[in-house]
Amino acid sequence: MTEFEKHKKELRARAMKLPLHPGVYLMHDKSGKIIYIGKAKALKNRVSQYFGSDKNHDEKVRQMVAHVDWFEYILTDSEFEALVLECSLIKQHTPKYNILLKDDKGYSYIRVSKGPWPRISEAKQIADDGAEYIGPYVSGWSVKQSVEAAQKIFRLPTCNRVFPRDIGKGRPCLNYYIKQCCAPCRGKISEEEYREAVQDAINFLRGGSAESVRELTRRMEEAAEKLEFERAARIRDYLAAIKKTAERQKVVCSKIPEQDVIAMTQGSGKTCFQVFRFENGRLTDRETFFINGTGMPKAVRGEFLERYYSMRDRIPPRVTLDGPAEGQELLSRWLSEKAGRKVTITVPQKGEQAKLADMCRNNAAEQLAQATGRTGREASALDELARLLGLPEPPAYIESYDISNLAGEENVAGMVVFENGRPLRSAYRRFKIKTVVGQDDYASMREVIARRLEEYEKNKDSGEGFGRLPDLILLDGGKGHVAAVQPILDAAGYNIPLFGMVKDDRHRTRAIAKNGGEIAINSNRSAFTLISTIQDEVHRFAIGYHRQLRKKSTISSTLLSIEGVGPVRAKALLKRFRTVAAIGDADLQELIETPGITEPAARNIYNYFHPESKDD
């Protein structure tokens, strides 16, 4: 027994002496620093779990346990008091292994530069540069969206050209041709008209679209009455652009006036949370948080809610989640007391709220994809698959197997690998079935998985190819295949999720098979597409290998039927001529010149393909 195992056993013995009482526990490292703080309904049960089997622990917990030197605890009167104390202590000590969110919510401003051709932009702070600053605003995302909308509506330039210096010195950019810039660079607008457009944009940003629409409508009618049709047409275009922007904003709206929508996605050792904040039924702010490591979604979601609202004063009456959170009722009570009114935490299953949660999760997947070098579609598919199969985190490394034979002849298997949702062809492997005679797909699959695990034991030090264990195994078959193979994994002591891929009568993916039943996947579009792709790929790979062997077998049987031609000479002929057809077209001299082929053997080969020449 190693020193670590001895120490872990001592810590577990001490944990078993803790009371079955609510409280907070604090884990310390050798230097005495607090590295983790948690709460518990029953301290004995919760703390002892850390120092038992690490089979069900995620990587973050295993690392934390490895650094624990000792722990202490504080008893509380209730689990709710434990939650409040835990939040306070985490804020005070910022332990390494707790989720810690950086609160970078500073103020943002709208900047209007000075000079005859002013520009509108966003700014994080006020500078002493003579420019006009509008604000402050709490939401930087909202300021950015508003400035971009104003620039497009009123066709203000966003390039780096300086006016009037650069007027007439270059061709207008693409924005001019798609009617998103008034092109001062080409003199398409006068200085007076430009300043009027900038002032309209400022009024739009200060007063909102409704106020701008009323004022612009009044000015358009006034210009029309004065027969200033060009000016009236320009204002009409502004109004049309405002209306179009408003229609786009309605796509992201909520019937519930004030709420937060929170969703998460995991993958490649990271977790991404996306927060959509709604006020007056409109999306007013959006925040993205990245957390190193992954874990059980329910626990991670609960911990995130604690950390997020510990650093937020504004708490909406409703929090919508994309999945259940650990201690959801307790968190709802804590938020209610913090806000001074009832706060409801919900996990919608259908309707508008479910669509908002899905949209939020898709945005989280896209952000995570950009951070990890994947596409949003791949991240979303793996995240959806993990939820569907109940996996602790999205499977980054998937292996899939299929058996192929013809009435038991040329019995083979194919293994394909998908890494981060993409085929990893360098890791594909082929197997010739050795121990199964006849057609027995269950026994063949058992042999393949057993051989694959044996290869892992031989190569595990390399961490590549067979030296890497998959996060998920998918078999081309139903629950019978799963039931046949599961004992192989259990006997070897590997806790690898195992599922089957079930096809319908038309050979299309229909469901996921597990021990004792099936999981329908048709309603999960991203996961369905991924599973279908994997199933088609492994079937293609396995049947391709089977056909290759059958073709070789047919060729070999043709050549071996010729008198004087054995396996060595057949191989020599195929090496030189590549195909049986080319051997048949060769003349006698070419056959004699083939290494290893004697003249009598060459005559037999030639006569076999040219029976009419035997008499000659």
Side-chain angles (χ1 to χ4, degrees):
M1 186 181 291
T2 64
E3 287 298 319
F4 169 70
E5 289 170 337
K6 287 179 183 178
H7 184 57
K8 189 177 173 183
K9 192 174 180 181
E10 291 171 2
L11 290 171
R12 179 170 173 79
R14 188 182 167 210
M16 293 301 290
K17 295 178 183 178
L18 294 179
L20 290 168
H21 203 277
V24 173
Y25 53 92
L26 300 88
M27 304 289 191
H28 296 258
D29 61 13
K30 288 183 179 179
S31 67
K33 187 177 180 180
I34 298 172
I35 60 173
Y36 186 75
I37 297 173
K39 65 180 182 303
K41 188 176 182 179
L43 282 166
K44 175 183 175 181
N45 296 342
R46 186 73 186 95
V47 178
S48 62
Q49 285 178 356
Y50 287 107
F51 308 113
S53 171
D54 62 359
K55 189 175 181 181
N56 295 320
H57 291 164
D58 57 53
E59 185 59 30
K60 188 186 86 168
V61 173
R62 282 194 284 268
Q63 287 185 13
M64 185 270 289
V65 171
H67 289 87
V68 174
D69 188 63
W70 57 282
F71 64 84
E72 61 179 322
Y73 62 93
I74 303 170
L75 296 178
T76 59
D77 290 334
S78 66
E79 189 181 4
F80 179 73
E81 285 188 13
L83 169 63
V84 175
L85 179 59
E86 178 200 32
C87 289
S88 175
L89 290 172
I90 289 172
K91 202 168 184 178
Q92 180 182 343
H93 296 285
T94 59
K96 178 180 179 180
Y97 289 101
N98 285 97
I99 288 179
L100 302 173
L101 305 179
K102 184 181 179 183
D103 187 6
D104 56 356
K105 293 292 284 184
Y107 291 113
S108 294
Y109 300 85
I110 296 171
R111 180 181 181 274
V112 184
S113 65
K114 63 179 181 179
W117 299 83
R119 297 288 189 100
I120 296 176
S121 60
E122 60 168 324
K124 294 296 182 184
Q125 56 189 9
I126 296 177
D128 187 15
D129 56 0
E132 178 187 358
Y133 288 86
I134 305 169
Y137 299 96
V138 174
S139 171
W141 177 82
S142 182
V143 169
K144 185 175 185 293
Q145 295 288 310
S146 298
V147 168
E148 287 179 356
Q151 289 170 336
K152 288 179 181 178
I153 290 169
F154 298 98
R155 302 181 184 179
L156 301 179
T158 57
C159 60
N160 295 323
R161 292 176 180 177
V162 178
F163 307 123
R165 187 194 69 189
D166 294 333
I167 293 177
K169 291 187 178 179
R171 296 168 58 187
C173 61
L174 177 63
N175 282 350
Y176 168 70
Y177 295 104
I178 61 176
K179 297 185 177 181
Q180 288 187 3
C181 181
C182 56
C185 57
R186 299 302 297 164
K188 299 290 184 180
I189 187 172
S190 67
E191 182 181 327
E192 182 182 350
E193 289 172 332
Y194 178 83
R195 292 185 69 85
E196 184 181 21
V198 170
Q199 189 58 52
D200 287 338
I202 293 171
N203 293 338
F204 169 81
L205 292 167
R206 279 179 165 156
S209 59
E211 181 65 32
S212 287
V213 166
R214 283 193 292 270
E215 175 61 22
L216 289 170
T217 302
R218 185 190 65 77
R219 284 168 45 199
M220 180 181 69
E221 292 171 351
E222 183 183 279
E225 287 177 4
K226 294 180 179 179
L227 303 181
E228 296 175 353
F229 298 119
E230 190 174 330
R231 182 165 175 261
R234 187 170 66 250
I235 297 173
R236 178 204 61 201
D237 292 343
Y238 292 161
L239 288 168
I242 291 173
K243 183 180 178 182
K244 192 173 182 181
T245 301
E247 286 174 352
R248 282 201 301 267
Q249 288 176 343
K250 286 177 184 176
V251 175
V252 187
C253 63
S254 168
K255 291 178 182 176
I256 297 170
E258 187 179 359
Q259 68 168 330
D260 286 353
V261 180
I262 301 175
M264 63 169 277
T265 188
Q266 297 182 320
S268 300
K270 285 183 177 291
T271 300
C272 179
F273 276 94
Q274 189 83 184
V275 182
F276 284 174
R277 312 204 82 173
F278 287 86
E279 292 180 29
N280 299 318
R282 289 180 57 193
L283 179 63
T284 59
D285 199 4
R286 167 181 163 182
E287 296 178 89
T288 304
F289 297 90
F290 288 102
I291 300 164
N292 289 326
T294 58
M296 294 301 291
K298 193 173 180 179
V300 175
R301 204 176 278 115
E303 193 175 353
F304 175 82
L305 288 177
E306 287 183 42
R307 302 293 86 78
Y308 181 73
Y309 287 109
S310 291
M311 64 185 200
R312 290 285 177 267
D313 293 326
R314 173 197 168 274
I315 299 174
R318 181 177 177 127
V319 177
T320 299
L321 304 177
D322 66 325
E326 195 173 83
Q328 199 165 299
E329 292 182 8
L330 202 65
L331 288 166
S332 179
R333 181 184 166 190
W334 172 62
L335 291 175
S336 298
E337 291 207 4
K338 200 170 186 292
R341 52 173 160 71
K342 185 175 181 180
V343 176
T344 305
I345 299 176
T346 64
V347 183
Q349 302 300 316
K350 59 182 180 180
E352 178 205 63
Q353 293 299 298
K355 289 179 181 178
L356 283 177
D358 286 342
M359 183 182 71
C360 191
R361 183 170 60 244
N362 290 338
N363 275 267
E366 184 64 36
Q367 294 292 325
L368 183 65
Q370 291 179 13
T372 56
R374 292 185 291 170
T375 67
R377 182 178 297 176
E378 291 162 352
S380 181
L382 291 170
D383 186 66
E384 190 173 87
L385 181 62
R387 293 166 185 270
L388 187 68
L389 303 183
L391 305 180
E393 60 181 292
Y397 198 78
I398 301 172
E399 288 183 2
S400 183
Y401 296 84
D402 188 20
I403 304 296
S404 183
N405 59 61
L406 182 63
E409 295 296 325
E410 300 296 349
N411 201 2
V412 299
M415 177 190 102
V416 302
V417 175
F418 275 62
E419 185 175 36
N420 292 326
R422 301 175 185 175
L424 183 63
R425 291 185 172 82
S426 62
Y428 285 17
R429 295 292 184 269
R430 302 183 296 190
F431 298 82
K432 276 188 181 180
I433 305 302
K434 300 177 180 178
T435 62
V436 180
V437 179
Q439 189 168 0
D440 188 341
D441 285 2
Y442 293 166
S444 298
M445 196 68 85
R446 282 196 295 269
E447 178 194 317
V448 170
I449 298 299
R451 286 168 57 187
R452 194 275 179 252
L453 296 177
E454 288 172 6
E455 289 297 324
Y456 170 72
E457 290 297 332
K458 297 176 186 175
N459 299 279
K460 60 184 178 182
D461 291 338
S462 70
E464 297 178 355
F466 277 142
R468 179 178 179 181
L469 284 178
D471 301 316
L472 172 66
I473 293 177
L474 295 173
L475 309 177
D476 191 349
K479 56 187 178 182
H481 287 78
V482 176
V485 170
Q486 188 64 57
I488 302 294
L489 294 174
D490 294 341
Y494 295 115
N495 186 28
I496 304 172
L498 175 70
F499 294 89
M501 299 178 291
V502 185
K503 296 176 181 174
D504 60 18
D505 297 337
R506 297 183 181 179
H507 218 66
R508 297 179 303 188
T509 307
R510 177 176 61 81
I512 291 288
K514 60 178 182 177
N515 262 329
E518 293 182 357
I519 303 171
I521 60 173
N522 292 351
S523 60
N524 299 270
R525 184 175 298 275
S526 297
F528 174 78
T529 302
L530 177 61
I531 293 296
S532 298
T533 302
I534 292 173
Q535 190 169 31
D536 291 343
E537 178 67 358
V538 72
H539 180 70
R540 178 200 66 78
F541 188 63
I543 202 169
Y545 182 39
H546 170 69
R547 286 171 177 166
Q548 181 183 336
L549 290 184
R550 280 181 58 198
K551 185 178 180 182
K552 282 186 177 180
S553 178
T554 303
I555 292 172
S556 297
S557 62
T558 299
L559 295 176
L560 293 175
S561 65
I562 302 173
E563 185 181 352
V565 178
V568 175
R569 285 178 175 172
K571 186 176 181 180
L573 289 166
L574 288 171
K575 185 176 181 180
R576 179 176 182 186
F577 295 102
R578 300 295 181 186
T579 66
V580 172
I583 296 171
D585 291 339
D587 59 35
L588 182 59
Q589 188 59 38
E590 287 177 316
L591 293 171
I592 292 172
E593 291 172 354
T594 302
I597 303 298
T598 62
E599 185 175 342
R603 289 187 181 278
N604 289 337
I605 296 166
Y606 186 81
N607 290 336
Y608 178 86
F609 290 103
H610 304 85
E612 71 282 356
S613 66
K614 280 185 179 180
D615 294 337
D616 298 336

